[in-house]
Amino acid sequence: MPSATPGQGTTRTHHRTCNLCEAMCGIAIEVEGDRIASIRGDRRDPFSRGYICPKALALQDLHEDRDRLRHPVRRTAAGFQRVSWDEALDEVAGRLRETQARHGRDAVAVYLGNPRAHNYASLLYLIPFLEALRTRNCFSSSSVDQLPHHLIGTLLFGHQLLIPVPDLDRTSFLLVLGANPVVSNGSMMSAPGMPRRIEAIRARGGTVVVVDPRRTETAEIADRHHFIRPGTDVFLVLGMLSTLFAERLAAPGHLGSFINGIDEIERIACEFTPERVAPAVGIEAAEIRALARAFAAAPSAVCHGRIGACLQEFGALTTWLVAVLNAVTGNLDRPGGAMFARPAVDAVAIQGLLGQRGDFGRSRTRVRGLPAFAGEYPVAALAEEILTEGPGQIRALLTMAGNPVLSTPNGRAVDRALASLDFVACVDFYINETTRHAHVILPPAGPLERDHYDLAFHVFAIRNTAKYAPALFAPADDARHDWQILVELAARLAAPGRAAGLAGRAARALSRVLPPTRLLDAALRFGPHGDRMNPLSGGLSLRKLEREVHGVDLGPLKPCLPERLFTPSGRIELAPEVLVADLDRARAALGRWQGGALGREGAGAPGGEEGGAGAAAERAGAAYDLQLIGRRQLRSNNSWLHNSHRLVKGRNRCTLLMHPEDAARRGIAGAQRVRVSSRVGSIELEVELTDAVMPGVVSVPHGWGHGRDGVQLGTARQHAGASVNDLTDHLAIDALSGTAALNGVPVRVEPAEAAPA
Ligand SMILES: Nc1nc2c(c(=O)[nH]1)N[C@H]1C(S)=C(S)[C@@H](COP(=O)(O)OP(=O)(O)OC[C@H]3O[C@@H](n4cnc5c(=O)[nH]c(N)nc54)[C@H](O)[C@@H]3O)O[C@H]1N2
Ligand SMILES: Nc1nc2c(c(=O)[nH]1)N[C@H]1C(S)=C(S)[C@@H](COP(=O)(O)OP(=O)(O)OC[C@H]3O[C@@H](n4cnc5c(=O)[nH]c(N)nc54)[C@H](O)[C@@H]3O)O[C@H]1N2
Ligand code: SF4
Ligand SMILES: [Mo]
């Protein structure tokens, strides 16, 4: 049965997967004629069984949004003006080519944002586009997100996509470090309906422990919550490991025959006794020991670290040690522990064949020498690479599905940098904080106007499932999809005589012979659940998925090691040298922490030059005596859904959370405006007093700050808020991976009235 029966005035129901976050909820969209009548959870979706969150409804608002661009525009003195696709594509390719001809190929930079990962066709066609452009200056939202996971996948398991995910539905013990899945619906842990899956752990007699500087919505439904001082998870996990080895509770079990480095881990762990780390972490030594014992004693257990554990000073070390904790307790690659998905399209195998397993440090950024990972530089370096003169300076930028002005550290500097460029092109359907800098905007068709298969997030799903949906609405005749824009740019970039010509020229021909659906079909059929070209085999093909409109269940995750490892040794490398060496940084920080001050007065910008934040604070004669962390919100999706009225209505949510004791000390009485300042800038917003944040810590959500000149988002501007990334510091990074330390930012808070003008 087709998923939708077209017809004027008739009602039909279309089934697809919500593309907004990693959870992949099945949705049922009721359509009358060409109008959306309702969006509901699809009860027959085998993965989500009817669950959706409030954001799914915003798909309708997005579809109908009058502010959403439906044709290319060019910036003129009189504002953005409509141009034809040919003009727009010619101009973008021409200007990029010209820039490269004059200043070298690295003078053009690319920034790829988060929604691209939810668009299989554009993921596929990025390859020829980047090949045609051949710039080293590629940046993406990964380095303000999951980069540490990819790095650890490569170092420990030999492949950037070999990232174990919690076997949530079977585990007996879930330890959550710096994630709030009840609100975020999970990350690097794809599954719809996180609240009920987490509640189910407790209902079946298991335990859930949350470690977070804020008592989050997830902490509220957990057995236990521990406050932790931001940026100190590395010490907590080391303290737990030390307990496990000291008490002979470390037992890698089935992993024992293919694991290297356990002795090294034991040697390291012994150094970090619970007593030694407790003052830094802010959790009592006895509690750390008890947590380690309970984790080891559980029939199965898994530790999951996410944004709070990644976007901080020790993002890579923490992500590593979380994997180590799972491994040394025998919980890696076994039911109820941390397991690897085997999705219908096996991106691990495909990238493995292409040799894209995640190389680290092959090149370094020009100004600060930050390492590339998998061909991308850390975005914390973007502004300085644009603003610092000299050979190799970036002079033109193309963004696709990204909003670095609101999403990356020191957004004001990014804003200034973008304004200074010779040429900016954006593949995006909104005129927002970033794209307002564009000379040309190339808007793709909307998400309901394209087909959908989730290529990326099945790789991190807690159960193997597959689902495909055709476009719900036909795009306008002259609309282009993201992938078509990439193909057209690639073809135009590939001028005769240019070395990078081949892939680009081939892209257009390739896209005719092998459109995205053909590539997807081939990947499905030759994937681990595929029909291998034999339709009678019962295996998967695109046609089969087209018939199964609710999706198919492919079963729980299965153990797959050591066969799936890509390391040269064929073994798990538990203690890679670069990570062991990076512990020196942690040792130094532990020294700084001892003494137990609550906030780190004038703490330095980690890994930073220029004397760091500490020196700057001293010069200014003022202490940054609080630590700033982020906070995701149910009705918000990073920076780009605030133009949906139903998501932003109600009370102001862009607020600073502060502990009442911290407020009292600063003469802040509650529900008033405050000024928050960091080394790089300041913002003003309303304060909310709550003991849900620990003393010494304040929290601001990201993705707000729509009041900048030229932003053409009518609804979002009425709920503008302030951007937390005007406070985060581009010098504050995890020095090993280059991931931005967007949590644990040293700040000062004072009543807004008292602030200097
Ligand atoms: N509603 C909604 N859902 C989303 C998104 C959204 O914007 N809105 N974004 C999506 C995206 S792109 C992603 S990547 C995922 C992210 O998914 P999550 O990682 O689950 O989301 P966060 O809410 O950022 O959770 C981070 C937690 O870390 C805590 N934290 C901060 N610093 C530290 C620290 O040093 N140590 C510890 N232990 N904790 C710390 C914060 O208080 C916060 O509770 O969410 C996705 N889902
Ligand atoms: N302080 C702080 N900052 C953070 C975080 C944090 O926790 N704290 N989280 C970080 C994380 S995890 C992430 S993922 C990043 C996100 O950072 P980005 O990816 O840079 O930003 P988004 O807000 O996701 O913006 C997405 C853009 O894509 C456009 N868009 C949406 N759909 C499509 C599409 O189908 N095609 C195209 N071409 N464009 C589309 C939107 O209009 C919007 O402009 O933010 C990061 N920034
Ligand atoms: S949880 Fe994510 S996938 Fe599910 S409905 Fe909400 S935004 Fe969509
Ligand atoms: Mo993200």
Side-chain angles (χ1 to χ4, degrees):
M1 209 181 69
S3 70
T5 337
Q8 276 289 314
T10 56
T11 303
R12 57 190 172 121
T13 305
H14 168 87
H15 299 97
R16 67 194 290 114
T17 304
C18 173
N19 62 292
L20 292 174
C21 88
E22 301 176 35
M24 301 190 285
C25 300
I27 51 176
I29 306 181
E30 216 168 74
V31 185
E32 284 169 14
D34 57 5
R35 238 196 84 250
I36 294 174
S38 71
I39 298 181
R40 275 193 283 262
D42 178 1
R43 286 173 194 282
R44 293 176 63 192
D45 182 293
F47 203 18
S48 61
R49 297 173 198 278
Y51 176 87
I52 51 168
C53 86
K55 292 194 297 300
L57 303 186
L59 282 171
Q60 175 176 4
D61 303 341
L62 178 61
H63 182 68
E64 294 166 359
D65 193 344
R66 286 162 174 276
D67 287 335
R68 182 162 66 86
L69 292 176
R70 280 150 174 100
H71 47 74
V73 291
R74 174 195 286 144
R75 185 143 55 90
T76 71
F80 282 105
Q81 305 281 335
R82 179 173 184 165
V83 284
S84 74
W85 274 103
D86 273 335
E87 268 178 280
L89 290 162
D90 285 344
E91 177 164 346
V92 172
R95 293 291 297 272
L96 297 183
R97 231 167 45 194
E98 218 175 85
T99 306
Q100 287 190 314
R102 192 172 310 158
H103 303 288
R105 55 178 211 211
D106 296 335
V108 172
V110 176
Y111 174 82
L112 305 167
N114 167 285
R116 85 194 181 289
H118 299 271
N119 183 336
Y120 85 93
S122 82
L123 282 180
L124 295 173
Y125 278 91
L126 263 170
I127 302 168
F129 169 73
L130 293 175
E131 179 60 23
L133 201 59
R134 285 218 193 151
T135 171
R136 261 194 288 214
N137 277 316
C138 283
F139 302 84
S140 84
S141 53
S142 288
S143 50
V144 282
D145 193 343
Q146 80 288 5
L147 170 56
H149 284 272
H150 294 304
L151 177 61
I152 299 313
T154 297
L155 293 174
L156 269 61
F157 311 118
H159 194 304
Q160 59 179 338
L161 294 182
L162 278 180
I163 295 171
V165 298
D167 187 16
L168 207 58
D169 292 348
R170 290 185 288 186
T171 195
S172 311
F173 195 111
L174 175 67
L175 171 59
V176 179
L177 288 191
N180 187 13
V182 165
V183 166
S184 71
N185 270 294
S187 180
M188 314 309 281
M189 173 169 76
S190 279
M194 279 295 158
R196 69 186 183 208
R197 287 180 203 265
I198 290 170
E199 274 161 351
I201 298 174
R202 299 187 61 201
R204 60 177 182 262
T207 305
V208 179
V209 178
V210 172
V211 176
D212 197 299
R214 180 168 78 88
R215 194 168 61 246
T216 59
E217 295 76 358
T218 306
E220 292 290 354
I221 64 164
D223 294 86
R224 247 167 301 136
H225 165 242
H226 297 284
F227 282 129
I228 185 169
R229 203 163 285 145
T232 64
D233 303 74
V234 57
F235 306 117
L236 170 67
V237 184
L238 283 166
M240 290 177 70
L241 288 168
S242 138
T243 304
L244 295 179
F245 284 105
E247 301 185 6
R248 303 194 167 278
L249 297 172
H254 66 295
L255 306 169
S257 61
F258 52 88
I259 199 161
N260 286 341
I262 291 249
D263 295 345
E264 177 83 3
I265 296 290
E266 176 166 8
R267 195 183 56 72
I268 293 162
C270 290
E271 224 185 286
F272 296 90
T273 59
E275 279 69 22
R276 195 160 163 236
V277 299
V281 176
I283 301 175
E284 306 257 329
E287 290 280 359
I288 297 175
R289 266 202 188 92
L291 186 57
R293 289 175 191 146
F295 193 89
S300 65
V302 62
C303 180
H304 171 66
R306 209 36 202 103
I307 287 294
C310 283
L311 299 185
Q312 50 133 301
E313 185 176 358
F314 300 110
L317 282 182
T318 305
T319 305
W320 169 44
L321 292 166
V322 164
V324 168
L325 179 64
N326 290 328
V328 302
T329 51
N331 282 300
L332 179 69
D333 198 39
R334 82 156 183 210
M339 302 191 77
F340 299 94
R342 195 74 181 248
V345 173
D346 193 350
V348 174
I350 296 171
Q351 283 204 339
L353 281 174
L354 297 173
Q356 295 171 349
R357 294 169 210 160
D359 48 81
F360 178 49
R362 191 174 282 180
S363 61
R364 294 195 166 257
T365 60
R366 177 180 63 108
V367 178
R368 219 189 316 170
L370 301 187
F373 180 81
E376 288 177 4
Y377 288 133
V379 71
L382 176 61
E384 70 206 20
E385 291 296 327
I386 295 172
L387 293 169
T388 311
E389 283 176 25
Q393 182 183 3
I394 295 171
R395 310 204 177 228
L397 172 71
L398 180 131
T399 72
M400 178 174 218
N403 192 2
V405 169
L406 292 193
S407 300
T408 69
N410 200 351
R412 289 283 168 192
V414 175
D415 221 348
R416 277 195 303 278
L418 264 56
S420 78
L421 284 166
D422 294 347
F423 184 72
V424 178
C426 297
V427 184
D428 205 300
F429 38 55
Y430 280 124
I431 300 177
N432 63 19
E433 301 71 21
T434 293
T435 62
R436 75 196 215 277
H437 292 293
H439 295 84
V440 178
I441 303 178
L442 304 166
L448 299 180
E449 296 164 343
R450 63 178 187 239
D451 65 339
H452 185 73
Y453 178 86
D454 216 308
L455 205 58
F457 294 103
H458 283 301
V459 178
F460 311 118
I462 68 154
R463 191 177 176 90
N464 295 318
T465 60
K467 182 161 172 169
Y468 173 80
L472 166 57
F473 299 111
D477 281 347
D478 65 342
R480 300 283 193 285
H481 292 293
D482 283 286
W483 73 270
Q484 291 170 316
I485 296 169
L486 290 168
V487 166
E488 287 306 315
L489 288 176
R492 283 168 167 82
L493 281 166
R498 270 174 58 107
L502 195 63
R505 267 197 299 281
R508 206 184 261 150
L510 187 74
S511 73
R512 293 207 183 103
V513 195
L514 288 175
T517 42
R518 288 287 289 277
L519 292 171
L520 177 60
D521 185 45
L524 285 166
R525 301 185 87 167
F526 290 102
H529 309 272
D531 73 358
R532 317 237 146 222
M533 306 308 276
N534 172 8
L536 302 176
S537 71
L540 292 182
S541 65
L542 190 57
R543 270 185 80 175
K544 172 148 187 191
L545 282 188
E546 271 173 317
R547 286 195 303 268
E548 302 275 0
V549 298
H550 304 285
V552 296
D553 184 29
L554 302 169
L557 307 190
K558 293 193 183 117
C560 64
L561 299 187
E563 291 74 23
R564 215 144 192 241
L565 293 172
F566 280 79
T567 47
S569 62
R571 297 163 71 86
I572 298 169
E573 297 295 349
L574 209 56
E577 245 174 68
V578 275
L579 293 168
V580 173
D582 196 39
L583 280 167
D584 281 344
R585 223 161 39 86
R587 288 188 184 96
L590 192 57
R592 289 206 307 268
W593 278 110
Q594 258 132 18
L598 254 188
R600 267 194 304 173
E601 302 242 337
E609 310 293 323
E610 301 173 15
E618 264 160 43
R619 281 196 297 277
Y624 297 117
D625 53 357
L626 294 162
Q627 284 184 286
L628 172 69
I629 60 168
R631 159 168 117 250
R632 275 181 165 71
Q633 299 173 312
L634 202 54
R635 289 169 187 277
S636 205
N637 196 35
N638 297 325
S639 75
W640 72 280
L641 280 184
H642 295 150
N643 219 39
S644 159
H645 174 69
R646 51 184 142 187
L647 291 189
V648 289
K649 69 182 182 205
R651 67 182 183 87
N652 169 29
R653 292 196 305 275
C654 182
T655 57
L656 177 90
L657 300 186
M658 187 180 223
H659 194 278
E661 286 167 18
D662 286 328
R665 219 169 287 138
R666 289 162 180 79
I668 294 165
Q672 69 182 76
R673 281 185 81 74
V674 292
R675 170 178 287 247
V676 189
S677 315
S678 73
R679 187 187 77 88
V680 304
S682 64
I683 61 173
E684 286 191 11
L685 73 179
E686 235 174 83
V687 68
E688 273 184 79
L689 303 189
T690 171
D691 65 3
V693 284
M694 65 190 283
V697 173
V698 289
S699 163
V700 176
H702 77 281
W704 299 88
H706 307 296
R708 285 160 158 86
D709 285 343
V711 171
Q712 294 184 30
L713 298 164
T715 305
R717 283 187 77 93
Q718 289 165 22
H719 306 264
S723 177
V724 72
N725 285 321
D726 291 349
L727 297 171
T728 56
D729 190 337
H730 63 289
L731 294 182
I733 54 170
D734 165 26
L736 178 63
S737 66
T739 312
L742 301 176
N743 290 292
V745 182
V747 295
R748 173 173 77 235
V749 178
E750 59 213 320
E753 301 79 53

